[in-house]
Amino acid sequence: MNTRLHDPFKTAFESLDEFADLISQVLMCPITIEDANHRLLAYSTHDERTDPARISTIIGRRVPEKVINQLWKEGTIPALLKTQEPIRVKNMNDIGLNNRVAISIWKQDEVIGFIWAIEIDKSLTDEDFILLKKAADSAKNKLLQLQTRKNKKDERSQEFFWKLLTGHLKVKEEIFDHFHSLQLTPPTSYAVLVFQFQENITNKVEQSISYLLKTNQRIKIILYTIDCNQLILLVSTTKIENPFNELDQFVKFFVLQMNERYGIKEIKPGYSSIYEDYLQTNKAYKETLDVLSIKEKFPFETKDIFNYQKLGIYQILDLILEKRQTEAYENYSLKRLHEYDQKHNSNLIETLEVFLNKDNNINDAAKELNVHANTLNYRLKRIMEIGDVNFKDPNQKMILYLDLKLEKYQGI
């Protein structure tokens, strides 16, 4: 029995697949080795015993998202990110997971991968746990080699992405050459997404972001980079029937997961129109920054808007403002209502804006203002009298709405 405790993994091995087979022979159970983002690196091939989760992982070359989410919820992954000891994972039939033991592969204070041993015909013993720890230690150098190559590719990818975002690449053939040199297939259509964090993104937060992006199976992420407090993505919208809906779901999912898993709150997302021409990437990036700028100025009105296309009139507020400033224009009705509010300490301007925001719906506006419908009707009557406003005239309502937004845009 003691001979089994000698380290059988202190040996040269050509590949991680060969090493996975060795671990499987020593522990007498199926083995998979993953990187820190749950992408499959190697698996033992000589043993047909397995479970549905392992089959899906091998076929998809990564752990299914539903399995990752469940392992987060029941505490396995958080535990693996804190300890170098093996952890037992109990059977979860609903996600096709049999009993298994997992261990993290560490480089100093960072997890760089995982080894999973499936307990098919046997339960691993304390001696097996010791051997599994030895296996994790021996796998470290091989994973570091893979990580070094990956980091170099990431640096090249980010440099290319910044050239796209800043419009430095002017020739389509050159852009496609960059894609192919990075072994990336350029999607036929794409969007640019930006997630704006409250503070600059630290290395630790970047690791969490990278993990979440690479375990996501909702949207295909082609390129990503970080700029101070912003995470910038180029994502594929190829063959997505309703891309705006899918992107909305993805940004909500990302914000929720960053909050639930890592306690990072108040991330503001925005994304561009859908483009096919990569010479337009700079334009897509500017659209996304415009979304974030508008959301900053109009947080209430745009709380459920993430997409440039859905900004509506907010897209051109800066152009309208420029015209207004050139003409020294002043809206007569708003001027009268402001003067009345200041003199009588009333809130007719607020009432008008809420009423127009709610598309002239008395009940919705009254609920928003927290007043009775009769009270709102009285205020609207005063607005019509004081500001000479005709709520049956769509042109007047539209210009009132625009000029109210321009006031807020300027911070008046």
Side-chain angles (χ1 to χ4, degrees):
M1 184 68 71
N2 287 336
T3 56
R4 292 188 64 216
L5 294 181
H6 292 307
D7 193 343
F9 307 115
K10 289 295 184 186
T11 180
F13 50 92
E14 292 294 323
S15 67
L16 276 176
D17 282 315
E18 182 182 320
F19 188 61
D21 280 337
L22 176 59
I23 302 171
S24 179
Q25 290 168 18
V26 172
L27 298 181
M28 295 181 291
C29 62
I31 295 293
T32 55
I33 303 175
E34 304 163 7
D35 69 10
N37 299 311
H38 306 294
R39 292 185 183 272
L40 182 67
L41 298 177
Y43 61 96
S44 56
T45 56
H46 70 287
D47 199 326
E48 295 180 356
R49 299 167 300 166
T50 190
D51 61 13
R54 185 172 188 263
I55 292 171
S56 297
T57 299
I58 292 170
I59 292 173
R61 305 300 298 175
R62 59 182 178 181
V63 180
E65 190 173 20
K66 66 177 182 180
V67 175
I68 295 171
N69 289 338
Q70 188 62 33
L71 290 172
W72 269 95
K73 288 176 185 175
E74 58 84 39
T76 296
I77 293 176
L80 286 169
L81 297 175
K82 293 177 181 176
T83 181
Q84 298 187 29
E85 297 299 317
I87 291 176
R88 288 195 182 277
V89 183
K90 292 184 179 179
N91 183 21
M92 300 180 206
N93 286 327
D94 54 335
I95 57 170
L97 203 77
N98 287 349
N99 292 335
R100 59 190 65 206
V101 173
I103 190 169
S104 306
I105 303 168
W106 290 76
K107 170 200 167 188
Q108 296 176 343
D109 59 350
E110 177 189 353
V111 173
I112 60 173
F114 306 95
I115 299 175
W116 298 80
I118 305 179
E119 298 177 310
I120 299 291
D121 297 327
K122 58 169 282 188
S123 293
L124 297 191
T125 65
D126 290 343
E127 292 179 357
D128 291 327
F129 274 31
I130 294 171
L131 289 168
L132 196 55
K133 288 177 69 174
K134 293 179 184 295
D137 186 57
S138 295
K140 176 176 64 176
N141 289 336
K142 199 71 175 178
L143 262 66
L144 286 175
Q145 292 172 17
L146 293 174
Q147 191 181 62
T148 300
R149 290 199 291 271
K150 173 185 163 297
N151 289 342
K152 288 180 180 177
K153 183 180 178 182
D154 284 349
E155 287 175 9
R156 289 169 51 221
S157 297
Q158 291 188 25
E159 182 182 357
F160 167 48
F161 192 19
W162 274 115
K163 287 180 179 179
L164 281 177
L165 292 171
T166 54
H168 276 75
L169 297 175
K170 307 292 186 183
V171 181
K172 288 185 180 179
E173 289 75 13
E174 186 181 1
I175 291 173
F176 285 103
D177 285 345
H178 274 86
F179 272 115
H180 295 145
S181 71
L182 292 166
Q183 298 178 314
L184 295 172
T185 302
T188 55
S189 63
Y190 68 91
V192 172
L193 282 69
V194 175
F195 292 93
Q196 186 165 288
F197 289 63
Q198 292 295 304
E199 299 176 348
N200 284 353
I201 296 169
T202 63
N203 288 336
K204 183 178 180 181
V205 173
E206 185 175 350
Q207 288 175 13
S208 303
I209 289 170
S210 176
Y211 175 88
L212 200 53
L213 294 180
K214 290 175 181 176
T215 56
N216 136 76
Q217 295 171 29
R218 294 167 178 262
I219 291 289
K220 186 172 183 180
I221 296 163
I222 308 301
L223 297 164
Y224 82 92
T225 189
I226 287 170
D227 181 27
C228 297
N229 69 329
Q230 292 185 340
L231 166 67
I232 310 166
L233 313 176
L234 187 142
V235 303
S236 171
T237 56
T238 303
K239 295 181 180 178
I240 298 179
E241 187 173 341
N242 191 341
F244 293 141
N245 181 61
E246 287 297 319
L247 290 169
D248 273 359
Q249 294 303 314
F250 171 71
V251 299
K252 290 176 184 176
F253 167 81
F254 180 87
V255 170
L256 179 65
Q257 292 298 310
M258 289 300 294
N259 182 11
E260 288 186 348
R261 292 185 182 179
Y262 308 112
I264 299 173
K265 304 177 185 298
E266 297 182 27
I267 300 172
K268 292 184 175 65
Y271 65 91
S272 68
S273 306
I274 307 298
Y275 285 91
E276 296 178 357
D277 183 356
Y278 284 92
L279 293 175
Q280 299 295 313
T281 310
N282 175 241
K283 182 181 177 185
Y285 179 43
K286 288 179 178 177
E287 283 184 359
T288 309
L289 297 181
D290 285 344
V291 174
L292 293 172
S293 176
I294 289 295
K295 287 178 74 68
E296 192 76 31
K297 290 183 171 69
F298 301 94
F300 175 77
E301 296 92 333
T302 63
K303 61 183 172 64
D304 296 320
I305 297 176
F306 312 111
N307 169 22
Y308 184 79
Q309 288 286 321
K310 294 182 180 179
L311 280 179
I313 199 66
Y314 294 107
Q315 290 180 13
I316 56 173
L317 282 183
D318 54 343
L319 298 176
I320 300 171
L321 178 60
E322 185 178 342
K323 179 176 172 60
R324 285 285 188 262
Q325 291 173 334
T326 302
E327 297 173 345
Y329 166 88
E330 189 172 20
N331 188 302
Y332 169 80
S333 296
L334 292 185
K335 179 184 177 184
R336 292 287 304 273
L337 292 170
H338 275 301
E339 288 172 350
Y340 185 89
D341 277 349
Q342 289 171 4
K343 185 175 181 180
H344 297 89
N345 196 28
S346 56
N347 57 354
L348 295 184
I349 285 288
E350 179 193 10
T351 299
L352 174 61
E353 183 174 13
V354 170
F355 182 63
L356 294 176
N357 282 344
K358 296 300 181 181
D359 196 24
N360 295 21
N361 187 299
I362 293 287
N363 291 330
D364 288 350
K367 184 178 180 181
E368 181 68 33
L369 291 164
N370 197 27
V371 299
H372 193 276
N374 290 340
T375 303
L376 176 58
N377 276 317
Y378 171 76
R379 290 185 188 175
L380 293 174
K381 184 179 178 181
R382 296 294 292 147
I383 288 170
M384 289 188 284
E385 293 170 351
I386 296 164
D388 192 19
V389 174
N390 179 7
F391 285 118
K392 293 183 179 179
D393 181 352
N395 287 324
Q396 189 181 23
K397 286 192 297 183
M398 190 177 299
I399 205 67
L400 283 168
Y401 180 82
L402 272 173
D403 285 333
L404 281 166
K405 298 308 174 188
L406 284 172
E407 287 184 354
K408 189 172 287 188
Y409 190 65
Q410 297 176 85
I412 295 175

